[in-house]
Amino acid sequence: MTDQMKLNSAQTEAVTHDRGPLLIIAGAGTGKTTVITERISYLIQNQYCQPNEILALTFTDKAAEEMEERVDMSLPYGYVDLWISTFHSFGEKILKAHGIEIGLPNDFKLLNETGQWLLMRQNLAKFELDYYKPAGNPTKFIHALIKHFSRAKDENITPLEYQKFVDNLKAEPKKTINTLIDEKAQKQLSKSELDEVIELEIKKYQEIATAYKVYQQLLLDSEAMDFGDLINYCLKLFKERKNILAKYREQFKYVLVDEFQDTNYAQFELIKLLSEPKRNITVVGDDDQSIYKFRGASVSNIMQFKDEFPNTKEVFLNQNYRSKQNILDLSYKFIQQNNPNRLEIKLAKDGMTKKLISPQKGQAEIKHLHGEDINQEVANTINKIIEIKNNNPELGWSDFAILSRSNSAVKDFTYELEHREIPHTFLASRGLYGKAIVLDIIAYLKLLDNYHESSATYRVLSMPTWNINIEDLINLNYWSRRKSLSLYEVINRCDDWSNISNSAKEQIAVILKMIETHSQLVKEKKNITEIIQVFLEDSGYLKYLTSNETIKKREELNYLNQFYKKIQDLERDSNSPTASEILNLLELEIEAGDEGSLSVNMEETGPDTVKVMTIHTSKGLEFKYVFVVNMVAQRFPTNNRRDPIELPEPLIKEIIPEGDIHIQEERRLFYVAMTRAKEGLYLTSADNYGGTRKKKLSQFLIELDDKLFEIQQSEKIEKAESKNKVVKEEDIDESYQPPKKFSFTQLQDYNDCPYKYRFKYVLKVPTKGSKNFSYGNTIHNTLQKFFQLTTESGKPTLDDLLGIYQDSFIDDWYPDKETKSTYYQKGLESLETFYKLYKEKPPEVKFIEYPFTLKIKDGKDIISISGKIDRVDQTGKSVRIVDYKTGKAKDQLQAEDKEQLLIYQMATEDILKEVVGELIFYYLDNNQKISFLGTEKDTSKVREKIINSVRQIKSRSFSAKPKMGARSCQWCDFNSICDFREY
């Protein structure tokens, strides 16, 4: 039973709701995540359903991870197959399993916006564009078209529906007048002019409809999908294959949706379909925090929920645990400007209200700080932060946040924070390609591609690992200009220049040798990720980033990881391109307006820094003191920027709210900003932002309280310096937080060498792949799909098995074609023998790739171990656990070799309550089995070892354990940057 002592009465009412639809209206800071996770726990612990019979959906991977972690902590025992995910991950999982039923490949690629742009850019001629292909810039409207298609998919509009709309326009052109042309505009045109406009409009929409159809066919031809497809094809699957819909309706006894105000029309259709006929659907949201219209979110979903589910129970959560009351009162007064288009008005009854109540005593400071220009506004803000911090020594820099309407608005603030040496983190969602480490890597790749790229050469020479002084760099550039040589040619003739220091010449010799070596790798067409890895090691860059750990270096490592993953994605999507092709793809992305997406992770932003971010990024976060900047007209609220290509109104299926929907959304965004603050809310503005006209104050300041926010002119600006310690470059970042769950691989890596764990999981240093990794994954994927086929169609043939192998073969990281061919042939031979043995005695397979979370008690703490079991067979009254290994069977297993299967045995017995009769390592190379069974003594030892390892990880004990032998430093991914390695 959930411990309801932790919950208030409204939360308890929501958590313990029995059956039927439930709408939880959760105001800011009212503990909505707690409620939804406690409800999941309540349903499981009170045996309303099993863990895998709940479907919980949210919008970000981070939110899904947090929800799963909280559920994990609240359940006293282990569990299997918990369906907590984003909408898109859910759709992907369903389509990977059943997409073949509607003609879709089950190994499709998922394209992000850049992938979509590249697909259209590379096939532009197929779209037959005219209206949307200006001669001077043929790619100008690609982004606009992609956004338009995405918007259509939000409304579950297929290309066929779009074409029918155009056909109707052609059939009844008079209707086109009122559908597409403003009534006032019609009066300004003659009949002939109006006929011309109608003809052009029909032509335009026919072009869009055709382009939409071509785009969708290109995706299918490329065996790819975009994010909208994941939802829409799921809907198509469930509507056309009723047996599959029935399977999931039967499985999911309860459906829960977090952040329901962020759903779009298609997502709501999906959850309505799945929740029938039981209608045990719980949605949690707040219409006043619906701020993602630009991503397709439909606030009408939460507004109309009770119309779709008339017997809905409503619970209002209005106990705020975050802010002082005067912040809440001001925020509530402000958001009422959106009446009557608010849920509170629609559902008003029995005195229920969305007015938030805080148990905290005292008043927050709420002020408007105004300056003559942007410089004074920035100074006002930073001075106030320093003043508050100096007056409250217990505060950290992380108690402060600067929020803006856009990324571009905060540059002046970050410059000033940098100047004053105040530690800060700019949590931007874009800008990866502008980070120093990324620019360095791109410059080096350009240099390998073209030695005469002088700007790239200069960037490489300026890298922090070489310590070439600025005077030498200036002199090298001088000779380049004077002799009309490329900078690369100049450094190749270093001895010719008398004013270059000997230390610089020594470093340049090392650089030239490195370039020569790596150029050979390019000629051999090695993977770009492999070349990047070798460059980082040979240049000393990785060692530089991983030694003397600082906040700045931690950030650079984070950017490096994100860029490395980006290149991996480009390699995968482009089938092992050359360095030149990778650079071309990156340049195309930048041409497309892509600055490089950045993932925002608050846990990796340093231990104590002022957070600078957009209001959208701040959603779900809270800070003691919040500064909302640039509160002037046209900056906040912004002018309404309509979609470049708007979706025709007759095609829109959602219910559009009345009134000015743009200003209503901007108000909700400001409401979100205000309700991030706990103890202080500061709204800043200025008269001058560089233009010729004086800026007007934001209308939102007047709507708040025109007397409260009278302009407070600033005193003479003095650059007050902080009396508190400012983080310097040499300070160590100790912000690492151990994971909530551990895998066997993580624990094995830690036991191998804690310093290796530090590189891999704390610093997250990217590693090269290996042929063994690619081959092992190929075999595992092949057998998983093979046994999945046995459960679906009975008796697959050898041809089926080998066909799956061919489709599943991963050809990355093989040093040459011969090695790849050798491994491919080895796999064929192994699987042929495997099939022969399988056919003689087919196992009774019960589970394939079965996920689990095992709970181990450590005093009052609970340790969660997650994993997947390759195969579980039924053998009479007991089960057999099988784990596949590539390679040949060992003569004898050591104790540590058995640990993985012993954990699987513990999970199967503790969670599935099955009797385990046998544990098998199945070695594919020679098709041999090693069988054993763990005793109680064996499993007790494993439990104790896990507890000890996790305790050490939580204590941040990462000392090196160099060693010889089978798992020696020689085979470690990090030996090139480790000071403690032994061979």
Side-chain angles (χ1 to χ4, degrees):
M1 179 73 178
T2 300
D3 181 7
Q4 293 166 35
M5 294 298 291
K6 301 175 184 176
L7 306 175
N8 63 42
S9 58
Q11 290 174 327
T12 301
E13 184 181 8
V15 166
T16 58
H17 174 69
D18 189 5
R19 292 178 174 83
L22 172 65
L23 172 60
I24 304 171
I25 301 98
T30 57
K32 69 173 183 60
T33 306
T34 296
V35 168
I36 199 166
T37 52
E38 286 295 309
R39 175 154 175 74
I40 293 170
S41 178
Y42 173 84
L43 292 171
I44 295 170
Q45 292 191 59
N46 288 275
Q47 299 182 353
Y48 283 85
C49 56
Q50 295 300 312
N52 67 333
E53 294 174 333
I54 294 176
L55 174 62
L57 298 170
T58 188
F59 284 85
T60 66
D61 291 325
K62 189 177 186 307
E65 183 181 335
E66 181 184 357
M67 193 186 298
E68 186 171 352
E69 286 173 358
R70 291 206 190 185
V71 172
D72 179 61
M73 291 170 64
S74 66
L75 293 176
Y77 47 80
Y79 52 86
V80 295
D81 213 10
L82 196 59
W83 287 67
I84 296 178
S85 74
T86 64
F87 271 92
H88 292 129
S89 294
F90 171 75
E92 187 173 11
K93 187 172 183 178
I94 295 297
L95 293 175
K96 294 270 187 187
H98 306 288
I100 195 170
E101 297 287 339
I102 53 172
L104 300 174
N106 61 6
D107 56 350
F108 57 83
K109 296 178 293 188
L110 189 57
L111 300 185
N112 59 16
E113 190 173 348
T114 298
Q116 296 168 262
W117 190 93
L118 289 170
L119 182 69
M120 284 194 68
R121 174 71 171 77
Q122 292 161 355
N123 295 276
L124 199 56
K126 296 180 181 178
F127 286 87
E128 299 179 1
L129 297 174
D130 178 27
Y131 191 98
Y132 289 109
K133 187 182 179 182
N137 184 2
T139 64
K140 178 178 180 180
F141 293 112
I142 292 180
H143 270 307
L145 287 166
I146 289 170
K147 187 171 183 180
H148 190 75
F149 302 154
S150 176
R151 182 75 186 91
K153 291 179 183 184
D154 291 341
E155 298 282 332
N156 193 28
I157 299 164
T158 64
L160 182 60
E161 285 180 84
Y162 209 122
Q163 184 59 54
K164 284 182 179 178
F165 159 73
V166 176
D167 292 342
N168 289 336
L169 293 182
K170 293 176 180 176
E172 300 182 73
K174 287 185 179 180
K175 281 190 176 181
T176 305
I177 298 175
N178 298 322
T179 301
L180 303 175
I181 305 171
D182 182 81
E183 189 175 334
K184 291 180 181 178
Q186 292 180 37
K187 295 178 181 179
Q188 307 301 317
L189 301 173
S190 67
K191 184 179 182 305
S192 61
E193 289 173 330
L194 197 55
D195 289 342
E196 185 180 336
V197 169
I198 291 171
E199 182 181 353
L200 188 62
E201 288 293 294
I202 291 175
K203 181 181 178 182
K204 178 179 75 175
Y205 283 109
Q206 178 60 71
E207 184 169 304
I208 295 171
T210 302
Y212 189 16
K213 181 180 178 181
V214 171
Y215 169 73
Q216 210 57 27
Q217 189 59 50
L218 277 172
L219 287 171
L220 291 172
D221 293 344
S222 305
E223 297 192 339
M225 292 188 194
D226 61 27
F227 285 96
D229 289 333
L230 296 176
I231 307 301
N232 291 350
Y233 278 133
C234 255
L235 282 168
K236 177 180 172 69
L237 173 73
F238 287 148
K239 288 176 179 178
E240 295 183 5
R241 299 293 182 264
K242 303 295 186 185
N243 59 319
I244 297 175
L245 174 61
K247 163 186 164 68
Y248 286 103
R249 280 180 170 175
E250 176 62 27
Q251 177 178 339
F252 299 130
K253 292 183 168 55
Y254 289 85
V255 176
L256 300 94
V257 183
D258 194 13
E259 302 286 10
F260 183 64
Q261 77 278 351
D262 295 336
T263 53
N264 60 38
Y265 176 87
Q267 290 163 339
F268 193 18
E269 289 297 295
L270 180 64
I271 59 178
K272 282 193 291 186
L273 203 61
L274 282 168
S275 64
E276 295 291 348
K278 296 182 283 288
R279 294 196 155 202
N280 291 329
I281 179 170
T282 297
V283 299
V284 184
D286 181 9
D287 60 301
D288 290 335
Q289 296 185 76
S290 179
I291 59 173
Y292 291 110
K293 179 66 179 172
F294 68 97
R295 292 183 187 168
S298 172
V299 70
S300 63
N301 286 350
I302 195 167
M303 298 290 289
Q304 306 300 324
F305 184 79
K306 195 169 181 181
D307 297 336
E308 297 287 344
F309 297 92
N311 60 335
T312 294
K313 178 180 178 63
E314 305 139 17
V315 177
F316 283 68
L317 303 183
N318 56 12
Q319 186 77 39
N320 178 281
Y321 296 96
R322 176 185 300 159
S323 307
K324 293 291 180 67
Q325 189 63 51
N326 58 329
I327 291 177
L328 300 177
D329 290 343
L330 192 65
S331 304
Y332 180 65
K333 176 189 174 185
F334 172 75
I335 199 61
Q336 286 181 301
Q337 302 285 333
N338 274 357
N339 289 345
N341 293 317
R342 293 178 59 246
L343 195 59
E344 180 180 39
I345 305 303
K346 180 165 183 164
L347 298 181
K349 65 174 186 177
D350 301 328
M352 296 196 71
T353 175
K354 288 184 67 181
K355 181 177 171 61
L356 300 175
I357 306 299
S358 172
Q360 297 185 47
K361 296 180 180 179
Q363 296 283 297
E365 184 174 49
I366 304 176
K367 277 193 173 182
H368 172 212
L369 306 177
H370 184 75
E372 292 180 1
D373 57 23
I374 180 60
N375 294 327
Q376 193 176 41
E377 180 185 356
V378 170
N380 288 342
T381 301
I382 308 306
N383 287 344
K384 190 66 179 177
I385 290 174
I386 294 173
E387 175 193 321
I388 296 169
K389 192 170 188 301
N390 285 344
N391 292 336
N392 300 274
E394 77 282 0
L395 293 177
W397 294 115
S398 56
D399 290 317
F400 299 89
I402 297 174
L403 309 183
S404 71
R405 177 61 181 84
S406 66
N407 277 320
S408 60
V410 295
K411 289 180 180 177
D412 294 294
F413 295 87
T414 56
Y415 290 154
E416 185 67 10
L417 288 165
E418 185 80 29
H419 174 72
R420 304 226 197 160
E421 296 186 307
I422 295 175
H424 63 281
T425 305
F426 179 25
L427 297 172
S429 58
R430 317 291 298 176
L432 177 63
Y433 298 152
K435 301 305 178 185
I437 178 68
V438 175
L439 290 171
D440 287 345
I441 293 172
I442 291 175
Y444 190 69
L445 291 176
K446 283 183 176 179
L447 192 53
L448 295 181
D449 183 53
N450 180 2
Y451 290 165
H452 300 292
E453 279 266 9
S454 288
S455 59
T457 307
Y458 182 83
R459 180 95 201 176
V460 172
L461 293 173
S462 304
M463 288 190 334
T465 53
W466 307 122
N467 291 317
I468 298 175
N469 65 56
I470 189 65
E471 289 83 4
D472 286 317
L473 292 173
I474 291 171
N475 290 333
L476 289 167
N477 278 323
Y478 165 78
W479 290 114
S480 175
R481 291 192 302 272
R482 178 170 173 175
K483 298 295 185 181
S484 299
L485 299 171
S486 72
L487 190 55
Y488 184 80
E489 290 173 308
V490 168
I491 65 174
N492 261 289
R493 293 170 51 184
C494 260
D495 290 339
D496 293 350
W497 323 121
S498 59
N499 56 354
I500 307 299
S501 70
N502 289 330
S503 62
K505 290 178 180 179
E506 289 172 4
Q507 292 285 18
I508 288 169
V510 173
I511 295 169
L512 289 171
K513 180 64 177 175
M514 184 180 72
I515 292 171
E516 181 185 353
T517 303
H518 297 170
S519 296
Q520 187 59 37
L521 297 178
V522 172
K523 292 176 183 176
E524 294 171 5
K525 295 186 177 180
K526 296 291 187 182
N527 286 349
I528 306 305
T529 43
E530 186 174 353
I531 293 170
I532 292 173
Q533 187 73 37
V534 173
F535 158 66
L536 292 169
E537 291 175 359
D538 290 355
S539 66
Y541 218 134
L542 267 186
K543 193 167 185 177
Y544 162 76
L545 290 174
T546 56
S547 60
N548 300 320
E549 194 178 334
T550 64
I551 294 172
K552 188 173 181 180
K553 287 182 179 179
R554 170 64 68 84
E555 285 182 346
E556 290 293 304
L557 266 174
N558 183 25
Y559 300 142
L560 169 59
N561 272 289
Q562 294 189 49
F563 184 66
Y564 192 80
K565 184 178 183 301
K566 172 69 181 179
I567 298 298
Q568 284 180 316
D569 292 342
L570 287 175
E571 281 185 329
R572 184 181 62 250
D573 294 343
S574 306
N575 193 21
S576 299
T578 63
S580 180
E581 289 167 336
I582 283 286
L583 289 170
N584 185 47
L585 287 170
L586 289 173
E587 285 172 3
L588 282 173
E589 287 195 17
I590 293 167
E591 177 191 334
D594 191 342
E595 300 171 30
S597 61
L598 283 165
S599 63
V600 176
N601 188 339
M602 289 292 290
E603 294 177 359
E604 295 181 355
T605 59
D608 191 22
T609 63
V610 175
K611 303 302 186 288
V612 185
M613 68 189 86
T614 64
I615 301 169
H616 283 100
T617 304
S618 76
K619 179 76 163 59
L621 304 176
E622 57 184 41
F623 305 91
K624 286 187 177 179
Y625 298 92
V626 167
F627 292 76
V628 186
V629 302
N630 289 183
M631 293 295 299
V632 294
Q634 298 181 332
R635 290 203 168 198
F636 199 16
T638 61
N639 293 331
N640 186 14
R641 293 182 181 177
R642 298 179 178 275
D643 288 341
I645 308 173
E646 290 194 311
L647 201 62
E649 195 171 311
L651 281 172
I652 297 174
K653 298 175 183 178
E654 65 171 295
I655 299 172
I656 304 296
E658 296 179 358
D660 188 335
I661 59 174
H662 170 71
I663 202 67
Q664 289 173 24
E665 174 118 345
E666 290 287 290
R667 281 199 191 99
R668 293 194 292 267
L669 190 59
F670 186 42
Y671 176 81
V672 166
M674 296 172 70
T675 54
R676 300 311 94 196
K678 295 180 178 181
E679 298 179 13
L681 175 63
Y682 304 89
L683 311 174
T684 76
S685 60
D687 291 331
N688 188 340
Y689 288 86
T692 56
R693 286 187 173 185
K694 180 178 178 180
K695 285 286 187 182
K696 293 181 180 180
L697 289 180
S698 166
Q699 72 177 76
F700 292 165
L701 291 177
I702 310 304
E703 290 175 0
L704 278 169
D705 190 324
D706 55 353
K707 291 182 181 179
L708 178 62
F709 288 96
E710 290 176 354
I711 294 177
Q712 300 174 15
Q713 294 293 348
S714 302
E715 298 176 2
K716 183 179 178 181
I717 302 168
E718 294 181 4
K719 293 200 171 182
E721 301 295 339
S722 172
K723 295 177 183 177
N724 294 281
K725 181 189 175 194
V726 174
V727 176
K728 299 293 185 182
E729 190 68 11
E730 64 268 19
D731 289 314
I732 295 175
D733 178 7
E734 296 179 351
S735 63
Y736 170 67
Q737 294 297 320
K740 302 295 189 300
K741 289 183 182 179
F742 292 88
S743 67
F744 169 74
T745 303
Q746 281 175 292
L747 296 177
Q748 185 184 50
D749 284 338
Y750 185 83
N751 291 321
D752 273 355
C753 177
Y755 207 60
K756 172 183 176 182
Y757 182 97
R758 170 185 174 270
F759 279 126
K760 190 170 182 180
Y761 302 104
V762 181
L763 300 181
K764 298 180 181 176
V765 176
T767 59
K768 290 180 286 188
S770 70
K771 60 182 184 296
N772 292 328
F773 180 80
S774 296
Y775 180 68
N777 273 356
T778 296
I779 295 297
H780 271 77
N781 294 341
T782 299
L783 293 177
Q784 177 193 351
K785 293 174 184 177
F786 173 75
F787 281 109
Q788 184 70 44
L789 193 61
T790 66
T791 61
E792 293 173 355
S793 60
K795 297 180 179 180
T797 64
L798 175 60
D799 287 342
D800 290 329
L801 175 61
L802 298 184
I804 294 170
Y805 173 68
Q806 184 176 5
D807 292 340
S808 302
F809 190 78
I810 302 168
D811 60 3
D812 294 337
W813 297 106
Y814 292 97
D816 48 56
K817 290 181 179 179
E818 290 74 21
T819 305
K820 181 165 64 176
S821 177
T822 300
Y823 270 79
Y824 183 81
Q825 189 60 36
K826 180 172 74 168
L828 285 176
E829 293 169 1
S830 297
L831 291 172
E832 286 174 357
T833 305
F834 170 84
Y835 186 82
K836 181 180 178 181
L837 297 172
Y838 158 82
K839 194 173 181 182
E840 290 174 0
K841 193 176 180 180
E844 185 182 340
V845 178
K846 189 169 186 178
F847 300 117
I848 308 161
E849 289 287 317
Y850 207 67
F852 67 84
T853 298
L854 174 68
K855 299 290 189 74
I856 295 175
K857 286 188 177 182
D858 178 17
K860 293 182 180 179
D861 294 334
I862 298 290
I863 297 170
S864 294
I865 308 296
S866 62
K868 281 187 179 181
I869 304 173
D870 286 353
R871 204 178 88 207
V872 181
D873 300 340
Q874 191 72 52
T875 55
K877 294 183 179 180
S878 63
V879 296
R880 172 175 58 218
I881 296 173
V882 180
D883 188 75
Y884 309 122
K885 298 290 182 187
T886 48
K888 295 183 178 180
K890 298 183 178 182
D891 294 333
Q892 187 174 0
L893 295 178
Q894 302 298 316
E896 62 182 17
D897 296 324
K898 298 180 180 180
E899 288 173 1
Q900 182 180 8
L901 282 186
L902 290 173
I903 290 173
Y904 292 175
Q905 178 180 340
M906 291 154 58
T908 304
E909 292 173 344
D910 290 1
I911 303 170
L912 296 176
K913 307 301 181 187
E914 296 276 5
V915 176
V916 177
E918 188 178 17
L919 303 174
I920 291 179
F921 279 123
Y922 192 113
Y923 292 87
L924 270 297
D925 275 14
N926 51 7
N927 278 279
Q928 288 186 2
K929 303 174 185 178
I930 295 184
S931 171
F932 64 97
L933 185 63
T935 64
E936 187 175 342
K937 183 179 179 181
D938 293 332
T939 55
S940 293
K941 284 183 178 179
V942 172
R943 285 178 192 270
E944 191 60 36
K945 186 172 181 179
I946 288 171
I947 290 169
N948 289 333
S949 297
V950 171
R951 284 178 182 173
Q952 291 179 68
I953 292 172
K954 288 182 176 179
S955 71
R956 296 175 177 81
S957 175
F958 302 125
S959 57
K961 283 172 37 179
K963 57 186 175 182
M964 309 292 286
R967 290 177 179 163
S968 71
C969 296
Q970 182 180 356
W971 308 110
C972 178
D973 288 324
F974 310 103
N975 57 30
S976 65
I977 58 173
C978 179
D979 291 326
F980 306 99
R981 66 184 183 273
E982 291 182 3
Y983 289 158

